[in-house]
Amino acid sequence: MSNLETANAIFYNKIQEATQDGEKLRNCLQCGNCSGICPFGYVMIYPPSRMIAEVRANRFEKILGTENIWMCVSCYACTSVCPAQIPITAGLMTGAKEELLLAGNVPSELQAALEYSQRYGNPLGESPRKRADWAREIQPEVKLLGKYRQPVDVLWFVGDYPSYHPRVQHIAQSMAKLLNALNINFGILGPEEYSDGDSQRLAGERGLFEMLAEKNGQAFNKYDFKEIITTDPHAYNAIKNEYPKLGFSFPVRHYTEFLAENIEKILPFLKNEINARVTYHDPCYLGRANNIYEQPRSLIQNLPGVELVEMPHNLKNSLCCGGGGGGMWLDGFQWEKSHVRLSEWRIQEALSTGANILAVACPYETSRFEDAAKNIDKTGQLRIRDIVELLVESMGV
Amino acid sequence: MKIVVFVKLVPDLVEELTVDPGGTTLDTTWLRMIINEFDDHAVEQAILLKEKTSTQVIVIAPDFDGVDEVLFTACAKGADQIIKLTGDFSSINNHALARAVASRIKILQPDLVLTGVQANNDIDGSIGPALAACLNQPFVGYVSGVTLEDNTAIVQKEYPGGVIAEMSITLPAVLGIQAAEQPPRYVAVSKVRQVMKTSNIDEQPLDELDNSGFPEVTRMFQSETSAHAEMITGSPDEIADRLVSVFKEKGILQRTNR
Ligand code: SF4
Ligand code: SF4
């Protein structure tokens, strides 16, 4: 066998191993559903179905020779429509990214985010010591578990963007106020918290993901808590579905699940009318990847003065904001290749519903959608708000 | 052919720097160290040369917090040997370091020594020329491209204003690298972890360091911000008049009696 044939065989085996049922790749019907639904399928030289055809024909090296794969934003749309139930996102696409990365073929924007994650534990390149600085002004004080050293009910995994991004910090602050108002006994890891690593994993950096997961897992092991809640669906996905494979199993919920369950406690606080038509964007890692559709909607419907309207693409068929699978750190690269921003498509849809507020539940989305709205929404009709911000607005705390 | 790359770790500016209560050095309590960016380029340049001409690459670094990772990363990129110099580097300076490192490099007898052209903690000048002086070899700094031919190196040296000179140097020589021909490559964490299991760092203790020639630091302080800024507005003539009077007030312009 030539080297290239061996590379193809190794990759084929790897992908088969990555799938629970290794036979599945062989079951591909070549129906093309995956490539049709893929938001960037039309700019990929090898969209998923064609990739599978090439791999089966022993021509994986053709794929490795293109930068095609860095257009994949790990949105799970292809996986969710595959009639043969092939794990395209987690197996095929992520596997191919891993191969490119091992070969050192990484767009420079992504390289910076990966290096920062390695060095500082966050992709933004911020000081790990300042991870809890967003909480300085919050009263009662947000407990740092390393200092507090007493059991809490909830360990809140804040995440990278809520910790550091100036816009998204407001979401973290709103969340802290809400938890305080509900009298929840919660704490955070602060400087002991590292990036959840899920998007780095889906960008092909498996080793980095494991390193970050081990650090978080060890921190979880140190403290006494009943459950973890996350601001970020990506963190939720990692802690729920991936960390247990590395030996770190903890009960975890996304904040929308946690708050929806506590809605009776929240209702008496909701006094200010929001007075808006609200549409909700299903984040890929809450919806398609983890089937959480109802809880965020029920929180919105409980807001006084709100009419919830749906966008044409909703629930399982939601459109990706473009931030997943490394997309957060490939904006320049993907723009160069496609001259399209997925976040702008979404803003157009939101505007088409006549909504005044686009509600989100993932920290990647506020800044992405606000930036997109600056280009698309010339009249300033649309505000972008995380659900927790809307709750706190209504509570007036 | 044999290339030695000398690499050092410098304070990482992601954390705010604070001055030690003694007032003459940095407070190291929260200090993070990071590979000097230009040294990272020197490693990349060496690996690129290795890929073209199958030279042997040896990376040497003094023992600072985090140095093992830096060395293993260099190894994962393709370095053949990694050496950690151990000793007391608490009050290190480039004079002492250059002497100590040169004594090690002499034993290795490389054809070419690469190092970063400068570093953010170079109080007493950059280390490249000092190394060259200790080794009694030629030095070229601000290099952004290297080709090897027999016993010469053809190098591109950058000058201000976008001017680039091409020079030929007889080896052995020392080069101060400004930029490698391509940005330092990414190595996957799994590769570095693999190298950690399969490679060894060669630890070499340094003898007592000779600090002579290092200037005494009498005071280290944060740059002081002064709040005074005057915006001068008006017609060009008015602005010119005002500028002249400001220069006079500050003593920069003096009236000469003709
Ligand atoms: S949707 Fe599934 S079966 Fe259809 S082409 Fe894609 S991978 Fe094959
Ligand atoms: S995960 Fe999304 S972006 Fe990636 S191939 Fe599938 S549909 Fe396309």
Side-chain angles (χ1 to χ4, degrees):
Chain A
M1 255 204 263
S2 75
N3 275 347
L4 290 177
E5 278 169 11
T6 326
N8 192 88
I10 293 172
F11 179 68
Y12 199 11
N13 283 340
K14 252 195 191 172
I15 291 176
Q16 305 235 19
E17 277 164 24
T19 68
Q20 274 156 7
D21 175 1
E23 292 297 301
K24 281 194 167 156
L25 207 54
R26 272 185 234 156
N27 295 347
C28 171
L29 313 165
Q30 286 294 299
C31 68
N33 280 356
C34 49
S35 305
I37 201 166
C38 174
F40 276 137
Y42 70 103
V43 285
M44 290 182 181
I45 302 167
Y46 296 102
S49 55
R50 196 159 171 217
M51 242 174 100
I52 293 179
E54 296 292 350
V55 172
R56 292 203 300 205
N58 229 348
R59 290 195 297 244
F60 181 57
E61 78 283 355
K62 282 175 78 177
I63 301 159
L64 282 186
T66 70
E67 286 174 316
N68 170 77
I69 197 71
W70 297 119
M71 296 307 289
C72 168
V73 289
S74 302
C75 69
Y76 265 87
C78 51
T79 311
S80 74
V81 295
C82 174
Q85 294 181 325
I86 295 171
I88 309 169
T89 312
L92 181 72
M93 302 313 273
T94 308
K97 288 181 193 172
E98 279 170 18
E99 295 302 312
L100 279 181
L101 205 122
L102 279 172
N105 178 357
V106 194
S108 58
E109 291 165 87
L110 179 60
Q111 175 169 347
L114 298 176
E115 281 170 353
Y116 288 150
S117 306
Q118 214 181 108
R119 198 176 307 134
Y120 308 121
N122 69 79
L124 295 92
E126 294 288 340
S127 153
R129 279 175 66 206
K130 296 184 182 152
R131 198 161 174 113
D133 279 11
W134 62 268
R136 266 204 208 132
E137 314 274 295
I138 305 288
Q139 284 302 329
E141 212 173 293
V142 175
K143 294 176 201 112
L144 285 179
L145 292 179
K147 278 193 196 151
Y148 182 64
R149 303 208 161 270
Q150 279 173 48
V152 289
D153 293 331
V154 168
L155 186 157
W156 169 26
F157 191 90
V158 182
D160 298 321
Y161 287 84
S163 297
Y164 294 112
H165 189 288
R167 166 65 183 92
V168 191
Q169 280 177 337
H170 185 254
I171 297 171
Q173 287 152 353
S174 303
M175 185 72 176
K177 286 181 195 166
L178 178 55
L179 293 174
N180 275 340
L182 298 181
N183 228 343
I184 308 280
N185 180 15
F186 73 99
I188 65 171
L189 293 172
E192 284 183 277
E193 181 184 288
Y194 286 78
S195 175
D196 59 79
D198 211 41
S199 291
Q200 292 89 331
R201 174 179 69 87
L202 290 155
E205 228 317 6
R206 173 97 216 155
L208 177 59
F209 167 73
E210 285 173 3
M211 183 181 114
L212 295 166
E214 277 161 25
K215 290 190 170 162
N216 284 324
Q218 280 156 9
F220 295 155
N221 278 335
K222 268 167 76 179
Y223 301 112
D224 194 348
F225 56 89
K226 293 195 185 116
E227 68 168 328
I228 299 172
I229 62 168
T230 75
T231 335
D232 186 344
H234 301 267
Y236 169 72
N237 185 61
I239 299 169
K240 179 165 179 249
N241 302 318
E242 300 296 327
Y243 282 26
K245 296 180 201 160
L246 300 171
F248 304 108
S249 292
F250 296 93
V252 59
R253 285 194 284 178
H254 183 252
Y255 84 83
T256 52
E257 290 176 281
F258 178 81
L259 295 182
E261 194 189 271
N262 282 289
I263 192 69
E264 293 306 323
K265 275 163 100 183
I266 298 173
L267 284 176
F269 288 98
L270 300 178
K271 43 180 205 277
N272 300 332
E273 299 255 332
I274 299 290
N275 285 331
R277 178 180 263 227
V278 178
T279 189
Y280 169 65
H281 165 80
D282 288 280
C284 305
Y285 281 82
L286 209 51
R288 271 191 295 271
N290 287 296
N291 280 313
I292 297 173
Y293 298 108
E294 283 319 308
Q295 294 90 330
R297 285 181 171 75
S298 83
L299 289 171
I300 295 169
Q301 275 162 331
N302 275 301
L303 288 164
V306 154
E307 180 200 355
L308 178 64
V309 289
E310 292 291 346
M311 286 183 273
H313 288 87
N314 58 42
L315 303 167
K316 199 179 162 189
N317 203 24
S318 172
L319 278 179
C320 177
C321 77
M328 203 63 185
W329 315 305
L330 283 165
D331 277 322
F333 178 89
Q334 291 178 344
W335 171 256
E336 221 172 79
K337 303 278 168 205
S338 67
H339 286 268
V340 158
R341 288 192 188 92
L342 298 185
S343 48
E344 291 183 1
W345 281 6
R346 200 52 169 159
I347 291 296
Q348 261 153 3
E349 270 207 2
L351 286 170
S352 77
T353 64
N356 329 96
I357 293 178
L358 171 59
V360 298
C362 167
Y364 285 10
E365 286 157 1
T366 26
S367 61
R368 297 188 75 77
F369 286 148
E370 276 179 3
D371 287 346
K374 282 174 205 150
N375 274 348
I376 303 293
D377 178 19
K378 301 292 181 209
T379 58
Q381 167 194 330
L382 198 63
R383 289 191 290 149
I384 321 294
R385 291 288 180 274
D386 195 279
I387 292 176
V388 76
E389 290 177 307
L390 292 173
L391 288 166
V392 168
E393 204 176 307
S394 175
M395 289 163 88
V397 290
Chain B
M1 270 229 194
K2 199 190 276 178
I3 302 177
V4 164
V5 187
F6 175 70
V7 163
K8 67 174 181 171
L9 280 84
V10 297
D12 186 342
L13 304 181
V14 75
E15 303 293 359
E16 274 137 43
L17 300 182
T18 46
V19 176
D20 181 83
T24 58
T25 163
L26 286 178
D27 184 352
T28 52
T29 327
W30 294 108
L31 202 62
R32 282 178 84 93
M33 302 296 274
I34 184 175
I35 184 172
N36 173 31
E37 193 188 338
F38 298 101
D39 294 346
D40 205 9
H41 279 265
V43 171
E44 182 64 34
Q45 185 61 61
I47 303 295
L48 290 172
L49 287 171
K50 176 181 171 170
E51 285 167 354
K52 275 185 220 151
T53 54
S54 66
T55 45
Q56 187 194 355
V57 174
I58 304 171
V59 178
I60 303 188
D63 186 4
F64 282 104
D65 201 20
V67 73
D68 287 9
E69 220 179 295
V70 165
L71 287 171
F72 282 127
T73 304
C75 197
K77 288 180 181 179
D80 301 284
Q81 195 187 344
I82 42 180
I83 300 175
K84 175 163 80 178
L85 303 175
T86 57
D88 176 13
F89 300 113
S90 50
S91 58
I92 193 62
N93 60 72
N94 282 350
H95 278 73
L97 206 52
R99 284 184 198 109
V101 173
S103 71
R104 294 287 141 177
I105 293 180
K106 272 181 194 155
I107 301 168
L108 296 166
Q109 291 192 310
D111 302 281
L112 188 63
V113 175
L114 302 184
T115 189
V117 68
Q118 61 192 38
N120 69 12
N121 64 351
D122 285 340
I123 291 177
D124 53 337
S126 54
I127 199 155
L131 269 178
C134 297
L135 294 166
N136 201 16
Q137 287 177 10
F139 173 80
V140 182
Y142 298 95
V143 168
S144 59
V146 187
T147 322
L148 296 178
E149 275 170 20
D150 302 327
N151 69 333
T152 46
I154 315 289
V155 304
Q156 272 81 44
K157 177 185 165 88
E158 287 193 12
Y159 286 92
V163 179
I164 294 179
E166 194 171 89
M167 300 181 178
S168 151
I169 315 128
T170 309
L171 302 179
V174 181
L175 301 179
I177 301 294
Q178 158 96 359
E181 281 150 51
Q182 65 186 44
R185 66 195 67 195
Y186 185 73
V187 259
V189 169
S190 60
K191 256 194 182 172
V192 179
R193 282 189 165 186
Q194 190 62 32
V195 162
M196 284 179 172
K197 282 185 207 141
T198 53
S199 313
N200 284 320
I201 294 179
D202 180 2
E203 286 194 25
Q204 299 189 2
L206 281 185
D207 312 329
E208 193 122 333
L209 291 163
D210 170 6
N211 280 320
S212 57
F214 179 62
E216 189 197 348
V217 178
T218 51
R219 184 181 164 224
M220 186 177 281
F221 54 101
Q222 301 275 359
S223 50
E224 283 152 11
T225 45
S226 68
H228 188 74
E230 181 189 342
M231 297 306 291
I232 304 174
T233 52
S235 69
D237 280 346
E238 287 161 0
I239 292 174
D241 282 348
R242 178 70 195 126
L243 273 178
V244 170
S245 59
V246 169
F247 289 154
K248 278 183 190 158
E249 279 163 30
K250 302 286 174 200
I252 298 166
L253 271 185
Q254 274 169 17
R255 184 185 294 275
T256 48
N257 291 322
R258 271 182 290 174

